Amino acid sequence: DVKVTQSSRYLVKRTGEKVFLECVQDMDHENMFWYRQDPGLGLRLIYFSYDVKMKEKGDIPEGYSVSREKKERFSLILESASTNQTSMYLCASSSAAAGNTEAFFGQGTRLTVV
Amino acid sequence: AQTVTQSQPEMSVQEAETVTLSCTYDTSENNYYLFWYKQPPSRQMILVIRQEAYKQQNATENRFSVNFQKAAKSFSLKISDSQLGDTAMYFCAFMIYNQAGTALIFGKGTTLSVSS
């Protein structure tokens, strides 16, 4: 059974804290993605990575950074958490093989910054 | 810019009826894939159906089918014989491959309610 696992389902952090959201996939996928989901705004791409140590900015990278030191793990970092980063965060992965394009998602992390 | 537009924030349908969710997209890429994902209250995203842009034939998966109009950049989802379990948020998305890697872009979603 394919799996994308996010380290926490719910998280509460204080303003100014450094926050790490971890995502691990067991499918040997090359591509990994971080999104935030807000009501009425859908899924907005924060960062994506197509290989180890490679990263590309998505539509809303401000206030976030990422790390991909190993193929299976893609971390999202909030350098100094702010209340406007309260949101649902979704991680996904997909294969780079042609024709094998389905993206698999984690269960989401609902982050509250107080 | 790559964008996906879902013009219907909410829709409702009765059990056993047919409903169509709209989606338009914009990209300058020629090779891409289109998807409809379902997100039930459990929050787990589930792939409903996928379409390769180079294929003219519309994809079907049981009660789900798409109407893909490449020139119009339109990709609507038709759900036949709606069931209560179809109640969810539905997202249209496309995936492109270019020099920057692979990007997967989503629309804002349509909340579908199926009632008995």
Side-chain angles (χ1 to χ4, degrees):
Chain A
D1 212 18
V2 296
K3 234 179 183 163
V4 178
T5 303
Q6 294 183 228
S7 52
S8 304
R9 195 157 171 85
Y10 298 95
L11 210 53
V12 180
K13 293 293 181 181
R14 294 196 178 279
T15 302
E17 274 193 80
K18 190 168 187 176
V19 181
F20 293 85
L21 302 183
E22 306 286 349
C23 176
V24 178
Q25 50 96 2
D26 65 0
M27 295 163 283
D28 201 36
H29 282 168
E30 293 80 9
N31 304 314
M32 296 189 76
F33 309 87
W34 273 109
Y35 297 89
R36 65 177 281 176
Q37 182 179 6
D38 300 288
L41 298 178
L43 274 70
R44 292 180 292 167
L45 183 62
I46 305 172
Y47 269 96
F48 64 99
S49 168
Y50 55 91
D51 201 351
V52 176
K53 297 192 186 294
M54 305 303 290
K55 61 184 178 185
E56 291 289 335
K57 292 180 180 179
D59 297 321
I60 52 164
E62 297 77 19
Y64 303 94
S65 62
V66 290
S67 171
R68 192 161 180 206
E69 296 296 318
K70 293 185 178 181
K71 191 176 185 180
E72 67 270 19
R73 186 180 297 269
F74 192 35
S75 303
L76 180 69
I77 303 156
L78 286 66
E79 297 291 343
S80 177
S82 64
T83 54
N84 63 13
Q85 293 178 309
T86 291
S87 186
M88 170 74 73
Y89 290 88
L90 289 169
C91 173
S93 73
S94 73
S95 169
N100 189 12
T101 53
E102 180 179 353
F104 295 87
F105 283 81
Q107 77 277 28
T109 296
R110 189 174 293 283
L111 172 68
T112 302
V113 182
V114 297
Chain B
Q2 331 271 7
T3 58
V4 177
T5 301
Q6 294 179 248
S7 58
Q8 306 148 315
E10 295 180 354
M11 293 194 74
S12 58
V13 67
Q14 299 267 28
E15 256 186 313
E17 290 184 346
T18 295
V19 63
T20 298
L21 308 184
S22 302
C23 173
T24 58
Y25 60 93
D26 189 20
T27 179
S28 56
E29 302 288 335
N30 208 30
N31 296 319
Y32 52 89
Y33 297 82
L34 294 157
F35 307 88
W36 279 97
Y37 278 87
K38 169 184 176 180
Q39 187 182 44
S42 67
R43 298 187 337 214
Q44 184 65 52
M45 294 281 277
I46 303 163
L47 178 67
V48 174
I49 198 165
R50 117 185 72 195
Q51 173 84 40
E52 291 88 347
Y54 61 86
K55 287 187 177 178
Q56 292 187 350
Q57 187 172 4
N58 289 325
T60 61
E61 285 287 344
N62 301 313
R63 298 182 294 108
F64 299 89
S65 61
V66 299
N67 183 5
F68 174 46
Q69 303 288 330
K70 189 172 184 179
K73 294 183 179 174
S74 170
F75 183 61
S76 60
L77 175 70
K78 185 170 85 171
I79 305 174
S80 304
D81 186 26
S82 297
Q83 300 176 359
L84 295 177
D86 295 334
T87 293
M89 181 162 278
Y90 287 80
F91 290 97
C92 178
F94 72 84
M95 180 180 281
I96 57 169
Y97 298 84
N98 56 28
Q99 289 179 341
T102 302
L104 178 59
I105 310 296
F106 284 81
K108 294 183 178 181
T110 296
T111 300
L112 176 66
S113 299
V114 181
S115 55
S116 55

